[in-house]
Amino acid sequence: MAPSTLISLLLPLFASFLSSSVSANFYNSFDLTWGDGRSKILNNGDLLTLSLDKASGSGFQSKNEYLFGKIDMQLKLVSGNSAGTVTAYYLSSKGATWDEIDFEFLGNLSGDPYILHTNVFCQGKGNREQQFYLWFDPTADFHTYSILWNPQSIIFSVDGTPIREFKNLESSGIPFPKSQAMRIYSSLWNADDWATRGGLVKTDWSQAPFTASYRNFNADACVWSNGASSCNSASTTTSASSSSWLSQQLDTTGQERMKWVQKNYMIYNYCTDAKRFPQGLPPECKLS
């Protein structure tokens, strides 16, 4: 079945369902999962911080699981010499054939730019990395990092500017995340064996603790609970505006902005790495 046919069947169904929009505070939306006190919720639930020292990093996860949604989070990354550190913010399911949608922020020496690393896993297989520099200092203030995940595509955005799109090309035999609910996860951890210049630059523990901050979480999404989606509640209806993300695609302006980012700030694209794939580039690279 062609993606356009699948989408035409799904969207009228979704349009009559309820999507849950969550912009509650961190106490209501997340659990602090590891780090022995290095994860903190502050300011009456409006701010969350993760810290890393030589003994341990820290992390949190969402209370809810989601199957499609538009997820927004504002982050302020580790400042100063952040070499060796990784701040990960991603959606993931569980199991051997998991799906995952990744933002990872690779730290660097003071004055050198962060690397924003993105990846998409489908049925346990990733290797779809694209990396970017940012056009601002992500440590000086909060910036919004968004994942739009709907039946036809996954769009990564920064401050509303799309940087990457992974399209649903199932009609060409390419897996697409669509059937496994995912939680939101984030962690701050030491990865100095690979994160900065391939592991050449190590973490300077004299700069610890390293801290990343989070605020203004919002999920306009289908919540998955007890084997059912909040978008399958036929007794309620949702307005066209609140479910617009379900059918949202990049318009001409969005495509041009994404091309601008990719032309000026992309530093790695698996779809152009012929040495890595001597048997031929992944099939989506030829179709998207």
Side-chain angles (χ1 to χ4, degrees):
M1 182 182 294
S4 58
T5 304
L6 174 66
I7 292 162
S8 66
L9 292 172
L10 284 172
L11 289 180
L13 186 67
F14 277 127
S16 64
F17 295 157
L18 174 68
S19 68
S20 175
S21 182
V22 178
S23 55
N25 68 31
F26 284 105
Y27 285 119
N28 296 334
S29 300
F30 292 94
D31 292 318
L32 306 180
T33 49
W34 65 283
D36 192 25
R38 293 172 179 82
S39 310
K40 294 183 172 65
I41 297 176
L42 307 167
N43 296 358
N44 297 315
D46 290 337
L47 179 70
L48 189 153
T49 61
L50 295 181
S51 291
L52 163 69
D53 57 34
K54 198 166 186 178
S56 179
S58 52
F60 64 88
Q61 70 181 42
S62 62
K63 294 179 183 291
N64 288 329
E65 293 182 287
Y66 304 96
L67 187 60
F68 301 125
K70 184 177 185 299
I71 310 296
D72 303 310
M73 183 82 82
Q74 290 193 328
L75 280 76
K76 184 164 70 170
L77 300 179
V78 174
S79 60
N81 182 359
S82 59
T85 71
V86 172
T87 306
Y89 157 57
Y90 60 103
L91 289 162
S92 182
S93 63
K94 293 291 189 181
T97 57
W98 78 99
D99 295 337
E100 186 171 322
I101 305 169
D102 286 346
F103 277 115
E104 288 187 318
F105 304 90
L106 313 185
N108 216 330
L109 295 169
S110 299
D112 289 341
Y114 261 82
I115 292 174
L116 172 53
H117 175 102
T118 66
N119 204 352
V120 177
F121 287 75
C122 302
Q123 299 174 13
K125 183 179 182 298
N127 299 326
R128 299 182 176 93
E129 299 91 346
Q130 290 183 355
Q131 295 183 338
F132 306 83
Y133 289 143
L134 294 164
W135 49 97
F136 53 83
D137 179 358
T139 73
D141 204 350
F142 286 89
H143 292 269
T144 303
Y145 302 91
S146 305
I147 295 169
L148 172 65
W149 171 35
N150 63 27
Q152 61 265 33
S153 68
I154 296 164
I155 299 171
F156 297 78
S157 298
V158 178
D159 287 340
T161 296
I163 64 169
R164 177 179 185 177
E165 181 179 28
F166 184 79
K167 294 180 179 179
N168 184 338
L169 299 171
E170 285 186 307
S171 62
S172 299
I174 298 163
F176 183 83
K178 68 170 189 180
S179 58
Q180 300 188 64
M182 301 197 234
R183 291 189 193 275
I184 302 164
Y185 296 88
S186 191
S187 57
L188 174 57
W189 50 292
N190 177 45
D192 66 4
D193 56 333
W194 65 270
T196 306
R197 299 182 187 175
L200 293 176
V201 181
K202 301 301 183 181
T203 303
D204 180 0
W205 293 112
S206 71
Q207 304 297 310
F210 304 97
T211 301
S213 303
Y214 303 73
R215 72 180 187 189
N216 290 347
F217 164 69
N218 187 74
D220 191 3
C222 299
V223 176
W224 186 264
S225 180
N226 298 318
S229 171
S230 65
C231 293
N232 292 348
S233 179
S235 62
T236 56
T237 59
T238 185
S239 67
S241 61
S242 65
S243 63
S244 62
W245 59 266
L246 276 166
S247 58
Q248 184 176 338
Q249 301 183 63
L250 286 179
D251 58 15
T252 301
T253 300
Q255 290 171 355
E256 289 301 317
R257 292 169 76 190
M258 184 172 70
K259 287 178 183 176
W260 174 81
V261 172
Q262 294 184 351
K263 178 182 178 182
N264 293 286
Y265 295 96
M266 180 183 281
I267 59 171
Y268 178 79
N269 182 4
Y270 76 107
C271 278
T272 61
D273 193 348
K275 289 183 179 179
R276 182 181 177 189
F277 301 103
Q279 305 303 316
L281 294 171
E284 66 266 22
C285 297
K286 305 164 189 174
L287 296 170
S288 58

